[in-house]
Amino acid sequence: MKYITEEAARIMGGKLYRLKGNEVINGISIDSRTVKQGDLFFGIRGERFDGATFSKDAVERGAVCAVVPEFKKTQDVPSILVDEPVMAMGRLAKSYLTRLRAKIIGITGSVGKTTTKDILHRLLSLKYKVSKTQKSQNGFIGLPLSILNAHEDDDFLVLEYGISRPYEMDYLISIAPPDIALLTKVGKSHLEFLHTEEEVAIEKAKLFKALKMFDIAVLNKNTPFLDFFESAIPKMVRVIYYDTPKIIEMDAEKTVFEIEKETYTTRLLGKHIITNLTGAIKLAKILGVPIDDMKDEVKKLTPSPMRFEVSKIGKFTIINDAYNANPESMKALIDTAKDLNTKKEKIFVFGDMLELGPKGPMLHENIGRYLAENIPCAILYATGELGKEYIKGAYRLKTKRFFEDIEDLVEKLTEHKEGIIFVKGSRKMALERVIEKLKERV
C-alpha cells in the first residue's frame, strides 16, 4: 500500500493537520506498540483503550501521521482529521481495492471461518499469490485492515466476513463485494443482537446475494437454512456444494478421509474441520490447484491457534479449542470426542458461551445434556457465570463439577492419572489459562 497524505485525506473525507500533503504512507497500523516507519496510524477507540490517546507515541515510533476525529487531535502531532476513524479506514480500503487485481473470496458462517480461511490460503498459495485476513480480523476494523495489508500483485484476497448485528454485512459488502463466496455453517451465534438462527442466516446470505454473473458460490450441504442461501444467489452464478467426506480413520494424531475417490491424510482433527477442509479443497480444485499438490500440503496442515490444537502435557493429551464457543461448535467438539478411537478418559473443561442473549442459560443446559447423551462416560468440569447450567443439563454424568476458581479446576485435573482434556469456551473466558496452569503442575 502506498499513498501520499493529501490523497489519503481526500479519500477518507478528512483534512490535513500539521502535514504538507506530500508525505508518503507505506503501511497501516492500529497499534502504537507495533507501528513501523511510514505507517498510517488509525486512532481507534476500543473496549479498553482509545487509540487516539496514543497518536503521539505512534508518530514518535515512525508513523507518518495519525487518523483521529478532529475533537481528539493532539497538539504538535501530524494528523488527518476525520469524522470517525473506523469509517475512514473503510473508505480507504474500498479505494485501495480498485488498485488490486485480486479476486475477493469471502468466507462467512457461524463456525469455522478462520480455519477455512487459513486452509484455503495455504492451498491457493501453491499456485497463486494470495493475501488473507490476519488472525480473526473479520469485522468493521479487521476487514478493511486486511485489505489495506494486501499486495497489489495478489491474485486472490481471502477475507472473513464476521457479523454480530443486523446490517453489518451490508457495510462489509459495500467495502469489498465478493467474487467468490463460501459458507461454512449457520448456527446459534451472536443471538444477543441476531435473535434467531434464521436472522443469522438472512444476514449471512447477503454475501451470496452480492455475487455477480459468472462468480462462484460454495455451499455446505449440511447447513441449516440452506434454501436461504440458494435463493439469494443470482442467476448465472456457479454453485459448488460440499459435504462431510468419508472418514476412513480418525484419532488424536491424524485423520484419513476421501473426497471424490481421492484419499487425503491430515493432522487436523474434527469432522467439522474436515468438512471445512473439504470445501477449501473443492474450491481450490475449481480454481486450478493440482490435486497431488493439495494432498502433499494437506499432510502439512496444522490447526490454527486454539482451534482443535493438539498438544501433550505429561500423560494428558490436550485438545485446545478455547478460541471461541457457541452451541454449534460445542456440539462439533463433542461429536469429535465421541468419534475418537481411544480408551482414555475424556475430560471436558467448559466455559461460558457468550453473546447468546436471553436463551443463554437454556443453551448451556442443552450442551450439558448433549454431552451426557452422546458420551455417557464423560467427565465434565465447568466454570463461568453460566457454568452451572452445563452441570444441570449433564445430570446423568457420574463425574461433573462446577468450579468458581480456575486454580481449583486445574488442581482437580492433576488428580487424574491420564486422559484427553477438551478445553472450550468463548474468547473472553480465556480458558487457555487452564492449559498454562496445568503445564506448571504436571
Side-chain angles (χ1 to χ4, degrees):
M1 187 193 84
K2 192 168 186 177
Y3 284 95
I4 59 171
T5 51
E6 182 180 30
E7 182 185 15
R10 175 178 53 78
I11 292 168
M12 293 188 291
K15 60 183 182 181
L16 302 177
Y17 175 73
R18 294 190 176 275
L19 290 166
K20 295 178 180 179
N22 61 354
E23 296 86 356
V24 178
I25 298 165
N26 290 313
I28 186 170
S29 175
I30 59 171
D31 188 339
S32 63
R33 298 167 298 179
T34 58
V35 72
K36 299 186 294 294
Q37 193 72 32
D39 276 355
L40 178 64
F41 173 74
F42 281 82
I44 295 172
R45 185 179 181 83
E47 289 184 9
R48 293 185 296 170
F49 301 105
D50 186 346
T53 62
F54 297 93
S55 298
K56 185 174 182 179
D57 187 39
V59 170
E60 288 175 351
R61 289 170 179 259
V64 173
C65 64
V67 179
V68 295
E70 182 163 6
F71 68 92
K72 291 184 180 179
K73 68 183 180 185
T74 303
Q75 190 174 5
D76 298 330
V77 176
S79 304
I80 297 176
L81 307 178
V82 298
D83 53 353
E84 207 288 316
V86 174
M87 298 295 106
M89 185 190 292
R91 295 179 202 121
L92 189 62
K94 183 175 183 177
S95 173
Y96 183 57
L97 274 178
T98 63
R99 297 185 181 184
L100 305 185
R101 70 181 190 185
K103 294 284 188 182
I104 296 175
I105 301 176
I107 299 175
T108 194
S110 301
V111 292
K113 293 186 295 296
T114 299
T115 296
T116 304
K117 173 259 300 179
D118 289 341
I119 292 169
L120 186 58
H121 176 263
R122 288 278 295 269
L123 297 181
L124 291 179
S125 296
L126 295 170
K127 184 174 180 177
Y128 302 104
K129 293 202 68 174
V130 189
S131 287
K132 66 172 181 174
T133 297
Q134 296 301 312
K135 299 181 180 178
S136 294
Q137 297 173 340
N138 56 27
F140 275 30
I141 298 171
L143 184 131
L145 191 61
S146 298
I147 293 168
L148 291 167
N149 281 317
H151 307 290
E152 292 191 20
D153 60 346
D154 282 335
D155 298 300
F156 291 98
L157 177 54
V158 185
L159 299 174
E160 294 181 47
Y161 289 66
I163 60 169
S164 59
R165 299 169 186 258
Y167 306 111
E168 286 184 346
M169 184 65 82
D170 299 82
Y171 175 70
L172 299 181
I173 292 169
S174 74
I175 296 172
D179 300 294
I180 299 169
L182 185 151
L183 173 68
T184 56
K185 194 173 185 180
V186 172
K188 295 180 178 70
S189 64
H190 304 301
L191 298 184
E192 188 173 1
F193 302 105
L194 298 169
H195 304 294
T196 66
E197 275 188 279
E198 184 174 353
E199 286 187 43
V200 172
I202 289 169
E203 288 299 312
K204 292 184 181 294
K206 291 176 179 178
L207 186 67
F208 291 80
K209 191 174 183 179
L211 293 170
K212 307 169 294 298
M213 189 181 296
F214 307 128
D215 284 349
I216 299 173
V218 186
L219 296 175
N220 181 347
K221 288 174 69 174
N222 293 324
T223 188
F225 304 102
L226 177 62
D227 57 323
F228 281 36
F229 293 86
E230 291 174 323
S231 61
I233 297 170
K235 294 180 180 179
M236 302 297 289
V237 169
R238 182 175 184 180
V239 182
I240 301 167
Y241 292 93
Y242 68 99
D243 199 348
T244 303
K246 178 182 178 183
I247 305 292
I248 299 170
E249 180 184 352
M250 182 187 291
D251 57 33
E253 304 295 330
K254 68 179 184 301
T255 304
V256 183
F257 61 102
E258 183 181 290
I259 303 173
E260 297 174 344
K261 297 183 180 180
E262 299 285 349
T263 301
Y264 298 80
T265 301
T266 182
R267 286 183 281 176
L268 300 180
L269 181 64
K271 271 188 180 179
H272 60 301
I273 290 180
I274 302 304
T275 301
N276 295 335
L277 173 54
T278 300
I281 288 172
K282 283 202 165 187
L283 177 55
K285 179 184 175 184
I286 291 295
L287 296 176
V289 181
I291 289 175
D292 288 342
D293 291 350
M294 287 197 285
K295 284 185 177 182
D296 291 338
E297 192 67 17
V298 165
K299 288 179 183 176
K300 303 173 189 174
L301 293 174
T302 55
S304 302
M306 293 190 285
R307 292 174 175 87
F308 266 81
E309 195 173 14
V310 182
S311 62
K312 295 277 189 180
I313 300 178
K315 293 185 178 181
F316 294 110
T317 298
I318 310 296
I319 309 295
N320 179 358
D321 200 30
Y323 185 79
N324 218 337
N326 59 45
E328 192 70 37
S329 62
M330 281 288 199
K331 287 182 179 179
L333 175 77
I334 293 166
D335 291 343
T336 298
K338 180 181 178 180
D339 291 338
L340 278 186
N341 184 19
T342 180
K343 293 181 180 179
K344 293 182 179 179
E345 286 184 329
K346 295 176 181 178
I347 306 165
F348 295 82
V349 177
F350 284 171
D352 288 355
M353 301 178 287
L354 303 179
E355 296 185 18
L356 294 178
K359 295 181 180 179
M362 177 193 71
L363 293 171
H364 283 73
E365 184 177 344
N366 289 349
I367 291 301
R369 185 178 301 109
Y370 189 83
L371 175 63
E373 289 173 351
N374 284 274
I375 310 178
C377 60
I379 296 167
L380 173 61
Y381 298 140
T383 188
E385 290 183 13
L386 293 173
K388 289 181 180 179
E389 303 300 325
Y390 289 125
I391 303 300
K392 187 190 300 182
Y395 67 91
R396 293 179 181 176
L397 292 182
K398 182 179 178 181
T399 305
K400 56 192 178 296
R401 183 173 167 185
F402 171 76
F403 292 86
E404 292 276 2
D405 185 70
I406 289 290
E407 293 285 352
D408 293 338
L409 193 160
V410 174
E411 183 64 32
K412 186 64 179 177
L413 288 174
T414 62
E415 295 178 9
H416 295 269
K417 294 181 180 179
E418 62 177 358
I420 302 178
I421 303 175
F422 301 85
V423 182
K424 190 164 182 65
S426 282
R427 182 80 303 268
K428 287 185 179 179
M429 294 298 296
L431 285 189
E432 63 273 16
R433 293 175 297 153
V434 172
I435 300 169
E436 293 304 317
K437 291 179 182 298
L438 185 62
K439 284 180 183 176
E440 296 170 2
R441 301 195 185 191
V442 173

